């Protein structure tokens, strides 16, 4: 499972940030590891320099083996909260997708 982390020009993307979120993804999605080829994480600050509530965005694009990509988005006041919300949505979506696949 390859993990790629992208940030917009308003978010400083450094190695520590990438390591932290990569580790969290690997732990959080460990049970799906053999069913996922790649995960792309997109972080953004929708208002840039201006302050606003829930202006941080995290988009997870998950590419399961032999299936269409699954995309989830979460907005929050911090990157960590946006990431955790998106990760939670991704787990639910993957669980549902793979359970439906088992049923057929």
């Amino acid at each position: 499972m390859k993990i790629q982390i992208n940030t917009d020009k308003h978010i400083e993307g450094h190695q520590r940030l990438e390591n932290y979120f990569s580790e969290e993804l690997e732990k959080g999605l460990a049970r799906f590891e053999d069913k996922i080829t790649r995960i792309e994480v997109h972080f953004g600050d929708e208002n840039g320099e201006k302050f606003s509530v829930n202006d941080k965005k995290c988009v997870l694009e998950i590419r399961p083996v032999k299936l269409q990509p699954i995309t989830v988005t979460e907005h929050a006041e911090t990157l960590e909260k946006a990431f955790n919300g998106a990760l939670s949505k991704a787990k639910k979506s993957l669980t549902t997708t793979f359970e439906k696949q088992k049923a057929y």
Side-chain angles (χ1 to χ4, degrees):
M1 173 169 64
K2 182 182 177 200
I3 298 173
Q4 180 181 344
I5 297 182
N6 304 299
T7 60
D8 71 5
K9 64 183 180 179
H10 300 291
I11 304 221
E12 194 175 312
H14 46 77
Q15 194 62 41
R16 200 173 85 194
L17 176 129
E18 288 188 25
N19 290 342
Y20 171 74
F21 289 118
S22 292
E23 286 176 22
E24 291 298 308
L25 274 172
E26 288 172 5
K27 284 190 283 185
L29 300 177
R31 67 183 231 203
F32 304 113
E33 185 176 18
D34 59 333
K35 298 175 182 171
I36 297 172
T37 58
R38 187 173 87 207
I39 300 173
E40 287 188 37
V41 183
H42 301 275
F43 288 113
D45 185 341
E46 296 190 333
N47 292 336
E49 300 292 320
K50 298 179 224 162
F51 175 77
S52 177
V53 178
N54 296 338
D55 67 336
K56 305 295 188 278
K57 178 172 81 168
C58 177
V59 178
L60 295 179
E61 183 179 321
I62 302 164
R63 299 189 180 259
V65 177
K66 298 181 183 176
L67 294 173
Q68 292 293 318
I70 295 170
T71 305
V72 295
T73 303
E74 181 72 15
H75 291 84
E77 61 265 5
T78 66
L79 286 181
E80 291 79 11
K81 287 181 181 178
F83 174 79
N84 289 327
L87 182 58
S88 178
K89 287 180 180 180
K91 287 180 191 177
K92 289 177 189 173
S93 184
L94 288 168
T95 299
T96 302
T97 300
F98 293 129
E99 283 178 0
K100 283 181 182 176
Q101 201 176 33
K102 267 195 251 180
Y104 294 105

